[in-house]
Amino acid sequence: MKWKKYTIDTTTQAEDFISMMLSDLGIEGIEIEDKIPLSKADQTEMFIDFLPELPPDDGRSAVSFYIEDDGSDQTEILKKVKVALEELRSTVDVGSGIITSSETEDLDWINNWKKFFSSFYIDDILIKPTWEELKEEDKDKFLIEIDPGISFGTGKHETTQLCISQLLKYIRGNEEYVPAVKNPKVLDVGCGSGILSIIALKIGAQSVVGTDLDPDCMISTKENMEVNHLDLDLGKFYVGNLIDDVELQNKVGTEEYDIVVANILADVIIPMAPVIPARLKKGGYFITSGIIDFKENEVKKAIEDAGLEVVEINHKGEWVNITARKN
C-alpha cells in the first residue's frame, strides 16, 4: 500500500490547533516532530521510563499527515488544508505553513510490527501469535494465543516475562520456595492485551479483574480471551486510573484479591503503591515489573512504605520484578 505524506512547516504554538483542524477534515494518522521535552505526565502516559535527550527547543514544528495514494486526485483535500491554515493565522502563529510532500511504501502501522513477534516459550507455556500456524510438534503443548492489536503486550518483553514467571511460581506453587495460591482471584493493573489475565486463568485463577487507561485494551483483552476459549464471565475489565479514581477503586473492591499483578512503569507503581494493600487479602501478593534497574530502590521503598513486605526481587536484562506480600 502506498501513502502520500504531507508535512506542514509550522510552530510548536500551532501544533494542537493544526492537529484539531486536520481531524475536523477527517484526516487521521497525524505525526508531530518538535524539540519540546516530554513532561512527567507525558512520560507516564506514553510508557517511557526515561526521557530522551533533545536539542534546545527552537519553536519550530513539523506536523505530518498521511493520505492513501489510491490514484485519486488529492488536490481538493490539500486545498481545504491550505484554506484552514490561513484561517488559523488569525488565531495563532502558524509559521510559514509551507506543505511538502513525499511518498512512502507499505505504511501499515497495525501490521508491520508482526514480523518481530513469533512463538516462544516461558517455562512449559507456548505463547503464539494468532496469525502464526501452529507447528505439528507443538499441538500437544500448553498454548496461549495472543494478538495484541493496538494494545501493549505480546509477552516477549522482559517485563512481561518477569510477571509471567512470578504468576507461574505463585499460582502453581514452587516446592522449594512457596506453596501454591489455590484458585486465586487476580487483579491485573494495566492489562493491555490481557496476556497476564489470560495466563492467570489458564493456570488456575478462578477469576480476574483488569484495569487500563486505554479503552482499546478492553477490546484486545476480550478478543484474546475468546481466542483462548475462556468464558468472558471469568473476567471483568474497567477503563480508569486506579491511583486516584475512587469510583474505580470501589468497582475493583477491597481485600478481594490473592494476587495483584502490575506490569507498568516505575513512575506509575510508586504513586499506585499506597492503594494496593487495600485491594489485597491478608497474605496476598503484589507482583510487579516494568521497573528499569536504576529505579529499583525507589520502587522498593514505595512498596515497603505502603506496608507490604518485599519477598523477592528478580532481574532480566535491565528490568526488575519486585514481589511483595500483605502480612
Side-chain angles (χ1 to χ4, degrees), residues 96-109:
S96 74
I98 294 171
I99 302 176
T100 55
S101 67
S102 59
E103 190 177 90
T104 181
E105 294 271 1
D106 192 29
L107 188 61
D108 188 344
W109 297 278

Side-chain angles (χ1 to χ4, degrees), residues 31 34 55 79 116 144 146 184 195 210 221 223 257 301 316:
E31 179 182 77
D34 59 30
K79 181 179 177 182
F116 302 107
I144 304 287
I146 291 292
I195 185 170
T221 297
E223 290 176 347
Y257 302 96
K301 181 178 184 302
K316 195 174 184 67

Side-chain angles (χ1 to χ4, degrees), residues 124-127 141-146 167-168 171-172 184 186 194-208 224-231 234:
D124 63 331
I125 296 178
L126 173 63
I127 298 177
K141 298 296 192 295
F142 193 123
L143 178 66
I144 304 287
E145 293 192 275
I146 291 292
L167 286 173
L168 291 172
I171 295 177
R172 286 178 167 175
V186 176
I195 185 170
L196 297 179
S197 291
I198 288 165
I199 287 175
L201 288 169
K202 296 274 274 193
I203 63 175
Q206 62 170 289
S207 63
V208 295
N224 283 317
M225 284 187 69
E226 290 175 333
V227 164
N228 286 279
H229 312 292
L230 291 168
D231 186 341
L234 294 174

Side-chain angles (χ1 to χ4, degrees), residues 284-287 303 308-312 322-326:
Y285 292 96
F286 181 36
I287 296 170
I303 290 173
L308 300 177
E309 177 195 3
V310 173
V311 294
E312 64 174 307
I322 297 177
T323 298
R325 179 173 55 220
K326 179 179 177 179

Side-chain angles (χ1 to χ4, degrees), residues 44-289:
T44 298
E45 184 176 334
M46 296 171 68
F47 298 95
I48 298 172
D49 216 16
F50 47 90
L51 298 174
E53 294 287 337
L54 292 173
D57 176 25
D58 58 6
R60 295 188 62 186
S61 176
V63 178
S64 300
F65 58 96
Y66 297 84
I67 300 176
E68 185 179 347
D69 189 5
D70 57 4
S72 61
D73 187 1
Q74 298 178 356
T75 304
E76 191 60 33
I77 187 65
L78 287 174
K79 181 179 177 182
K80 289 180 180 179
V81 171
K82 290 174 182 178
V83 168
L85 275 173
E86 291 307 308
E87 290 174 349
L88 280 177
R89 288 190 186 278
S90 61
T91 304
V92 65
D93 177 13
V94 300
S96 74
I98 294 171
I99 302 176
T100 55
S101 67
S102 59
E103 190 177 90
T104 181
E105 294 271 1
D106 192 29
L107 188 61
D108 188 344
W109 297 278
I110 300 298
N111 294 307
N112 276 356
W113 62 273
K114 289 183 177 180
K115 68 185 78 169
F116 302 107
F117 177 27
S118 56
S119 297
F120 66 102
Y121 278 95
I122 295 181
D123 200 17
D124 63 331
I125 296 178
L126 173 63
I127 298 177
K128 182 185 80 66
T130 55
W131 57 86
E132 187 177 284
E133 198 72 32
L134 184 64
K135 297 175 183 176
E136 189 65 34
E137 62 267 28
D138 290 332
K139 289 190 175 177
D140 61 342
K141 298 296 192 295
F142 193 123
L143 178 66
I144 304 287
E145 293 192 275
I146 291 292
D147 184 347
I150 52 177
S151 300
F152 175 79
T154 64
K156 271 209 160 177
H157 196 277
E158 289 94 336
T159 62
T160 314
Q161 293 186 31
L162 283 164
C163 285
I164 291 171
S165 295
Q166 293 301 96
L167 286 173
L168 291 172
K169 179 185 291 186
Y170 284 88
I171 295 177
R172 286 178 167 175
N174 180 322
E175 290 182 4
E176 296 180 2
Y177 191 81
V178 63
V181 181
K182 297 293 186 182
N183 302 313
K185 292 183 69 175
V186 176
L187 173 62
D188 182 2
V189 184
C191 58
S193 67
I195 185 170
L196 297 179
S197 291
I198 288 165
I199 287 175
L201 288 169
K202 296 274 274 193
I203 63 175
Q206 62 170 289
S207 63
V208 295
V209 171
T211 69
D212 205 289
L213 298 176
D214 186 353
D216 288 327
C217 293
M218 306 300 106
I219 299 169
S220 295
T221 297
K222 177 179 178 292
E223 290 176 347
N224 283 317
M225 284 187 69
E226 290 175 333
V227 164
N228 286 279
H229 312 292
L230 291 168
D231 186 341
L232 295 180
D233 290 338
L234 294 174
K236 293 181 180 178
F237 300 91
Y238 303 106
V239 177
N241 189 337
L242 196 65
I243 295 172
D244 54 14
D245 188 334
V246 176
E247 183 179 352
L248 178 62
Q249 292 170 9
N250 291 335
K251 285 180 182 177
V252 166
T254 301
E255 295 193 341
E256 290 277 343
Y257 302 96
D258 302 282
I259 295 173
V260 175
V261 60
N263 182 29
I264 37 182
L265 286 179
D267 287 338
V268 181
I269 296 167
I270 290 166
M272 182 184 291
V275 307
I276 295 300
R279 317 277 77 82
L280 284 167
K281 297 176 182 177
K282 288 182 181 178
Y285 292 96
F286 181 36
I287 296 170
T288 188
S289 190

